[in-house]
Amino acid sequence: MPNMLQKNFSMIRTREELLNEISRNDPLRNIYHGWNEDQQNEFLDFCTGVKGVKILYDAFFKEVMDPAAVPERLNELLSLILNQKIRILNVLPNESPHIAEETSLVIMDIVVELENRSLANIEIQRQGYMFPGQRAACYSADLLLRQYKRIRSERNKAGKKFSYRDIKKVYTIIFYDKSPMEFHQFPNDCIHRARPKTDTGLEINLLQEYAFIPLDICRKILHNKDINSKLEAWLVFLSSDDPEWIIRLIEKYPQFRTYYEEIYTLCLNTEKVMSMFSKELQELDRNTVQYMIDTMQEEIDKQRQIIGERDAALSEKDREIEELKAKLAQLQ
């Protein structure tokens, strides 16, 4: 009997059909049997509609959100997040050094130029890094410097004088599949927007703005409520693989049906989607290891600080004791 998603998307195959194809193809069969039982079931479940597809898998996200092919989708999402009309003009090559150093925790990272020449860096992290504010500030600074260098170069080539008036805003937008612990102190907030401002109310354009979206918290918030806005619809699309929620989403906002159809059509290419899933599993392993390293390093740093403070206190006590001994010797 067809499951809930198979009833809505006729291209979704049954478990038997998928397993038969895998069993007839030696390379696919070898890949499949290289996974553990939980991984095999996860793959079969999302390909056959038992569960929804994890949109944040790299290949699926790129399939439906590619700003070069379908910019209107990311335009809409960014407009809702930033509370202003956004139109992507260009997709820029990502030159930021943090990608090469920290790629294991990053699902997606794209830089786009907006119609007003502002830049936006959109990043999705599997597991939120430690020190999220410091990292985001560095990403933003890197983006701002990149824009500054580009505009100076353009003005010089045109024989024109550079003006800071030409520097536009930069937006750093970070989605977390599993958010850092700081965000869990705010269990009722799906989006945290930030920008520098003075303590007096003086309006001065400091150019850098941020939006942090903890999707794991969004899932909890939306679990017991209806989808009441287009922004909430997007958050459900990005965060939930619950078939019931997917059906609720496409019934209320039919545009998302098209996105799921594209994904399930991609799932018909078994070789491609199995290769993609294998890469996701490898990245998840790397992600787990990297997160454990970061966590352990923080614990080590804390212990070193405690030991250092204790040693300093002991040294001070030793000095005081020696001074008392010296005074006692003088008295004798």
Side-chain angles (χ1 to χ4, degrees):
M1 182 177 178
N3 59 47
M4 188 181 298
L5 290 176
Q6 286 173 338
K7 291 177 181 178
N8 281 269
F9 301 97
S10 59
M11 72 284 288
I12 296 179
R13 292 175 290 178
T14 66
R15 192 182 186 94
E16 291 72 25
E17 289 172 334
L18 186 55
L19 284 173
N20 285 337
E21 180 183 357
I22 293 171
S23 66
R24 295 193 303 267
N25 185 305
D26 288 342
L28 298 185
R29 188 169 62 250
N30 291 335
I31 294 173
Y32 180 78
H33 288 295
W35 300 334
N36 63 41
E37 185 177 357
D38 287 342
Q39 293 166 343
Q40 291 173 352
N41 286 329
E42 181 181 357
F43 173 78
L44 294 173
D45 283 350
F46 75 69
C47 279
T48 62
V50 174
K51 289 184 179 179
V53 172
K54 293 183 184 297
I55 301 300
L56 295 186
Y57 278 172
D58 183 63
F60 292 146
F61 189 88
K62 289 177 179 176
E63 182 73 16
V64 297
M65 298 299 290
D66 182 359
V70 283
E72 66 278 3
R73 298 176 185 178
L74 199 55
N75 283 344
E76 181 176 80
L77 178 58
L78 294 182
S79 297
L80 293 167
I81 291 171
L82 298 175
N83 289 321
Q84 58 181 289
K85 184 69 174 178
I86 295 294
R87 181 175 176 271
I88 294 171
L89 188 64
N90 293 306
V91 181
L92 304 179
N94 199 315
E95 301 169 353
S96 175
H98 83 272
I99 295 303
E101 297 169 0
E102 303 169 349
T103 185
S104 63
L105 300 184
V106 176
I107 298 173
M108 183 76 174
D109 185 272
I110 54 176
V111 175
V112 294
E113 182 182 27
L114 308 182
E115 191 174 31
N116 64 357
R117 302 302 301 276
S118 296
L119 298 184
N121 178 203
I122 303 99
E123 178 169 301
I124 302 175
Q125 295 182 10
R126 301 176 186 280
Q127 179 93 43
Y129 288 116
M130 307 185 81
F131 316 115
Q134 293 92 323
R135 292 178 186 273
C138 289
Y139 301 167
S140 178
D142 181 77
L143 200 62
L144 190 60
L145 181 59
R146 175 179 177 178
Q147 182 187 189
Y148 167 79
K149 289 179 177 178
R150 189 193 76 221
I151 290 177
R152 282 197 73 100
S153 176
E154 289 176 352
R155 303 294 285 182
N156 287 337
K157 289 178 180 178
K160 298 179 180 179
K161 184 179 179 180
F162 169 79
S163 170
Y164 281 97
R165 186 186 302 109
D166 299 323
I167 305 294
K168 305 300 181 181
K169 283 187 177 181
V170 296
Y171 301 93
T172 302
I173 301 158
I174 303 178
F175 295 87
Y176 300 103
D177 192 26
K178 294 182 180 178
S179 57
M181 59 183 180
E182 293 93 330
F183 292 86
H184 293 264
Q185 299 174 34
F186 298 86
N188 298 316
D189 295 296
C190 273
I191 300 180
H192 303 267
R193 301 176 180 90
R195 67 181 180 92
K197 63 178 182 180
T198 65
D199 61 351
T200 60
L202 170 67
E203 287 296 330
I204 184 168
N205 187 2
L206 295 175
L207 295 177
Q208 295 163 288
E209 296 193 15
Y210 306 84
F212 303 92
I213 302 99
L215 293 172
D216 51 347
I217 293 175
C218 293
R219 281 190 288 269
K220 294 178 181 178
I221 293 173
L222 297 171
H223 181 70
N224 294 317
K225 61 177 293 188
D226 197 8
I227 306 170
N228 294 315
S229 69
K230 181 61 74 67
L231 177 56
E232 288 184 355
W234 272 106
L235 294 177
V236 169
F237 177 70
L238 294 173
S239 67
S240 182
D241 62 356
D242 184 333
E244 183 177 338
W245 270 96
I246 291 173
I247 300 305
R248 194 181 303 182
L249 173 63
I250 63 176
E251 287 178 348
K252 191 158 188 178
Y253 293 93
Q255 75 182 69
F256 291 95
R257 174 181 288 277
T258 301
Y259 308 163
Y260 284 109
E261 288 174 346
E262 293 173 8
I263 290 171
Y264 285 122
T265 299
L266 175 63
C267 286
L268 295 176
N269 187 336
T270 307
E271 181 178 359
K272 182 176 181 178
V273 80
M274 288 186 75
S275 175
M276 174 274 294
F277 186 62
S278 290
K279 290 178 182 177
E280 292 291 337
L281 295 178
Q282 292 171 4
E283 289 299 321
L284 286 170
D285 285 342
R286 292 177 59 198
N287 173 41
T288 301
V289 171
Q290 182 65 53
Y291 185 72
M292 289 174 65
I293 290 172
D294 286 351
T295 303
M296 290 174 66
Q297 185 62 56
E298 185 185 37
E299 289 299 319
I300 290 170
D301 291 343
K302 287 180 179 178
Q303 291 299 320
R304 283 177 176 166
Q305 182 179 357
I306 292 170
I307 292 170
E309 291 172 352
R310 185 185 64 189
D311 288 348
L314 289 174
S315 296
E316 179 65 21
K317 290 295 182 184
D318 287 341
R319 187 184 63 78
E320 291 175 358
I321 290 171
E322 291 302 320
E323 289 177 353
L324 289 172
K325 285 180 178 179
K327 288 181 180 179
L328 182 59
Q330 290 175 357
L331 292 173
Q332 292 176 342

